[in-house]
Amino acid sequence: QVQLVGSGGGLVQAGGSLRLSCTASGRTLSIYRLGWFRQAPGKEREFVASIRWSIDSTAYADSVKGRFTISKDIAKNTVSLQMNNLKPEDTAVYSCTAEVIVSVGSNIRNWGQGTQVTVSS
């Protein structure tokens, strides 16, 4: 199991920036990938961004490409999401998640608590 504690988020005007951070503890050596999903009211949870823990590989949802940047600090077991040029449609609860290797070919997903991001127009 990996425990995840997120921070950041809040209220910002459209065009502004926010930074989310997530710190992992527990079986951090077994982390395969860290990232964020988000869920807006009345909508399904959707993928935002992810980063591989052992190599430099990132992935982004099309809706955030060019505006959001995910990064990692392995020494601090922390992953961050820099969100620039925020839009009202980015308003959602953002949740940090870790894919954890439990055995060869088998991963599980651990979740941190969600944090609210609200973008006003």
Side-chain angles (χ1 to χ4, degrees):
Q1 289 277 10
V2 171
Q3 292 75 45
L4 302 168
V5 178
S7 61
L11 173 64
V12 67
Q13 289 188 332
S17 299
L18 285 173
R19 186 177 182 87
L20 303 181
S21 293
C22 181
T23 299
S25 61
R27 295 180 57 189
T28 57
L29 291 179
S30 297
I31 294 175
Y32 178 77
R33 180 161 41 207
L34 284 171
W36 271 273
F37 281 69
R38 68 186 181 186
Q39 187 167 22
K43 295 187 177 181
E44 293 188 354
R45 185 165 56 193
E46 64 175 2
F47 167 77
V48 177
S50 68
I51 187 166
R52 285 282 303 275
W53 203 234
S54 61
I55 63 174
D56 290 330
S57 177
T58 59
Y60 297 92
D62 288 343
S63 60
V64 306
K65 280 181 181 177
R67 301 187 297 122
F68 290 12
T69 302
I70 191 169
S71 60
K72 63 187 178 185
D73 185 335
I74 294 177
K76 296 182 179 179
N77 288 328
T78 298
V79 61
S80 297
L81 184 69
Q82 178 66 39
M83 305 184 292
N84 297 330
N85 191 22
L86 283 160
K87 303 176 180 180
E89 51 264 43
D90 294 318
T91 296
V93 174
Y94 286 69
S95 297
C96 178
T97 181
E99 288 181 57
V100 181
I101 301 169
V102 293
S103 63
V104 176
S106 177
N107 295 354
I108 62 171
R109 186 181 293 281
N110 293 145
W111 293 91
Q113 85 281 13
T115 185
Q116 179 69 46
V117 170
T118 303
V119 184
S120 62
S121 57

